Amino acid sequence: MTRDLTTNSETGTIGCILYQGLMGINAEGEAYPLLAKSVDISDDKLTYKFVLNDARWQDGKPITAKDVKYTYEEISGKHSPTFKRTLTSIDKIEAVSDKEIVITLKKPYGPILIALTCQQGAAILPEHVYVGTDPLTNKASNAEPVSSGPFILKEWVRGSHLRLVKNPDYWEQGKPYLDEIIAQVVPSGAGRTQALLSGQVDRIPWFALETSDYPLIERNPQLLLQPARKPPATDFISINTEKKPFDDKRVRQALMFATDREFLLKSAFNGQGAASTSPFAGGFPWAIDPEMDLSKMYPYDPARANALLDEAGVTRDASGKRLSMNFIIEPGEEGGSQIAAALKNMWEQVGIDLTIETIQPPLSTERIAKGEANIAYHGYSSGGDPAIGWSGQFVSTTIGSLRGNAARYSNPEIDELFTLGQSETDLDARGVYYKKAQKILGEDMPILTIHDPVDKEAQGAWLKGMENEYMFPTWRDAWVDK
């Protein structure tokens, strides 16, 4: 139930209703004080003083600065794949009083306020419930959450639904407006869409909505289909750069030339979104090099791919095969099975035999982190800032971590550029370093970026108050007009 322990979207959908961060994020992706009443920032951008709202946990105990310090140091700082990286930029966290918390940075960190949100794995958790326990097995992390949010968990019927009811002691006066929320478990994408069409459900989040159903929803005047308010993301294939022959960038470049990304866009993603043109998704114009265009650098060209493989010494045997590799995908990743099947056919043309392994998380995540995959397919969020999301794909410090550097790519120059990029607060200054990094990554090709999704979410026109929500809605402003 808490986003601090996983990047799983389903967990975030419920967890960010129940547990709040010091900061929230609005529909434009901007951070604002949430559990914090105010934030005071020093001129040198190193010291952040937060004053907490007068809020309580659902068991009646007050939410204090000690909860914040404990959460960051003992839970999210140790277990959140995204907040771990933020913690490395923090020098110290001080609970100076029950309602005042001071965070001092080692050096300026551009996305620090965004990083202090539930969406980025930094929801505040109750120290008195967690202290002395393993947060991974503590019931408050799953079956018995102790909410700080607008709703509390009343009932959980596994495989069926979760029932969240209005928190009578919620700190924002007059909220929430709804008495309860029922989160239904509907395994089939077609079943979810039919439930929305029939009015049995009010909303389908972006990660649970099939792109093939977009036209069906769009034609219904009682429904709204709209771009999801969430950070830019990318779909990519990681290549294990520690394994031969993938330690040779010519082999990785050959795989990019052997991949028809426009065909994948049409077949696996129903034409939604765009084929990637950069190692980053295109949602950060200040960080994107306009001259970087992977479609021009690596057009679909099997002949060029074959030539590069020959040049790298990866030659064909008597049967025409150059090498065999395994490809790990997770069930439920949109387009994953279609991409794997298409790549198997495409790469056969250059002598590569692909074995597809469909593995459920967390085993798939663990195997990828241990370097047991030759290649793997990922859908990856930027987290709202390159320092939060994209850095985890490329910096050497995240090799071996869950949802980290799956390519096991290590380049000191890239490490330095990402460090410099996160240590500025001016966007233009930060962009200089990220643009330099893209040129290097475009040459080294540790990952094959194939698709920039433009995810959409769907809801009934009768559901109101969701306009300022972001990524994982809190529902505290929602109401129904039927």
Side-chain angles (χ1 to χ4, degrees):
M1 291 295 177
T2 172
R3 178 79 171 164
D4 298 45
L5 304 177
T6 178
T7 58
N8 179 280
S9 296
E10 290 81 1
T11 299
T13 298
I14 302 299
C16 291
I17 299 175
L18 300 171
Y19 289 120
Q20 297 184 325
L22 278 182
M23 306 295 291
I25 306 184
N26 65 21
E28 285 71 45
E30 302 164 336
Y32 64 88
L34 187 54
L35 272 181
K37 180 164 58 177
S38 64
V39 54
D40 183 61
I41 306 171
S42 64
D43 291 340
D44 60 8
K45 303 295 191 295
L46 291 177
T47 304
Y48 291 72
K49 178 182 177 181
F50 299 88
V51 177
L52 301 184
N53 276 297
D54 185 16
R56 294 182 177 274
W57 301 106
Q58 73 177 71
D59 64 6
K61 293 187 179 297
I63 298 173
T64 71
K66 289 178 63 180
D67 293 314
V68 179
K69 179 178 172 65
Y70 179 81
T71 297
Y72 291 166
E73 294 180 344
E74 300 300 328
I75 302 182
S76 52
K78 293 181 177 179
H79 297 280
S80 167
T82 50
F83 192 76
K84 276 183 184 179
R85 295 194 285 275
T86 298
L87 191 64
T88 63
S89 298
I90 294 176
D91 180 41
K92 58 183 176 179
I93 302 171
E94 301 170 282
V96 297
S97 71
D98 281 351
K99 293 297 180 184
E100 294 179 314
I101 187 84
V102 175
I103 297 176
T104 305
L105 305 180
K106 297 173 184 175
K107 58 180 67 175
Y109 181 65
I112 182 62
L113 294 179
I114 292 174
L116 302 181
T117 63
C118 174
Q119 285 86 348
Q120 300 310 326
I124 307 306
L125 301 173
E127 181 194 28
H128 66 282
V129 173
Y130 278 92
V131 69
T133 73
D134 180 354
L136 296 175
T137 58
N138 191 301
K139 290 182 179 180
S141 299
N142 194 13
E144 298 177 13
V146 181
S147 176
S148 62
F151 296 87
I152 61 179
L153 180 64
K154 186 69 172 180
E155 178 186 43
W156 186 0
V157 179
R158 305 275 176 162
S160 174
H161 66 274
L162 296 92
R163 179 171 170 245
L164 309 177
V165 301
K166 185 174 186 175
N167 182 351
D169 298 317
Y170 182 56
W171 61 272
E172 285 187 284
Q173 189 172 4
K175 296 183 180 181
Y177 305 129
L178 297 175
D179 291 327
E180 66 178 17
I181 301 170
I182 307 294
Q184 295 186 24
V185 179
V186 184
S188 160
R192 292 191 288 269
T193 298
Q194 286 302 318
L196 180 68
L197 291 169
S198 66
Q200 294 177 0
V201 302
D202 300 294
R203 189 172 189 274
I204 304 176
W206 50 272
F207 62 85
L209 184 61
E210 301 285 349
T211 58
S212 57
D213 288 339
Y214 288 180
L216 187 62
I217 295 168
E218 203 164 25
R219 289 195 296 267
N220 190 313
Q222 295 182 314
L223 303 178
L224 300 176
L225 181 72
Q226 51 204 5
R229 292 176 283 267
K230 59 185 283 291
T234 187
D235 298 309
F236 69 94
I237 297 164
S238 61
I239 307 170
N240 190 334
T241 60
E242 290 183 342
K243 291 189 175 185
K244 290 186 178 299
F246 310 112
D247 58 339
D248 187 329
K249 69 180 180 182
R250 292 173 296 183
V251 175
R252 304 192 295 268
Q253 291 170 348
L255 294 179
M256 191 64 156
F257 278 117
T259 303
D260 186 344
R261 294 178 301 130
E262 289 295 336
F263 175 81
L264 295 178
L265 173 64
K266 295 173 185 175
S267 62
F269 301 106
N270 299 293
Q272 299 291 328
S276 301
T277 58
S278 165
F280 301 170
F284 304 105
W286 56 270
I288 300 297
D289 184 346
E291 297 181 2
M292 168 63 67
D293 189 341
L294 295 178
S295 64
K296 294 179 180 178
M297 293 173 64
Y298 299 97
Y300 178 51
D301 189 344
R304 180 67 176 132
N306 274 306
L308 277 171
L309 291 169
D310 288 337
E311 183 182 317
V314 185
T315 55
R316 295 179 185 266
D317 62 18
S319 69
K321 185 189 300 183
R322 296 181 189 272
L323 59 92
S324 298
M325 65 173 75
N326 71 326
F327 182 17
I328 290 180
I329 62 173
E330 295 177 357
E333 284 277 17
E334 184 177 10
S337 58
Q338 296 97 320
I339 288 169
L343 287 183
K344 184 175 179 64
N345 290 327
M346 291 174 194
W347 291 2
E348 279 180 355
Q349 298 179 51
V350 296
I352 295 173
D353 181 30
L354 203 59
T355 300
I356 301 166
E357 298 184 58
T358 304
I359 304 174
Q360 289 276 2
L363 180 59
S364 58
T365 310
E366 293 169 358
R367 285 191 58 186
I368 293 168
K370 291 177 181 177
E372 295 178 5
N374 290 313
I375 62 172
Y377 171 63
H378 311 261
Y380 202 101
S381 171
S382 67
D385 192 280
I388 296 174
W390 303 146
S391 66
Q393 295 179 28
F394 302 114
V395 297
S396 56
T397 52
T398 61
I399 294 174
S401 63
L402 299 179
R403 303 289 183 185
N405 185 341
R408 309 182 77 82
Y409 170 72
S410 181
N411 183 330
E413 188 175 1
I414 287 292
D415 289 346
E416 177 67 9
L417 287 170
F418 272 98
T419 297
L420 292 170
Q422 72 180 33
S423 299
E424 296 278 356
T425 54
D426 178 76
L427 292 184
D428 290 336
R430 297 181 68 201
V432 170
Y433 301 114
Y434 292 125
K435 290 171 184 177
K436 288 181 180 179
Q438 286 164 62
K439 290 182 178 179
I440 298 170
L441 295 168
E443 173 72 18
D444 283 358
M445 270 297 119
I447 68 171
L448 312 182
T449 46
I450 57 174
H451 178 240
D452 291 350
V454 179
D455 295 309
K456 295 184 180 180
E457 53 199 7
Q459 68 179 56
W462 56 86
L463 180 60
K464 309 293 185 179
M466 303 293 283
E467 297 78 15
N468 201 41
E469 297 276 25
Y470 189 80
M471 194 173 179
F472 302 125
T474 65
W475 289 81
R476 66 192 202 277
D477 294 311
W479 54 285
V480 174
D481 181 18
K482 277 190 175 180

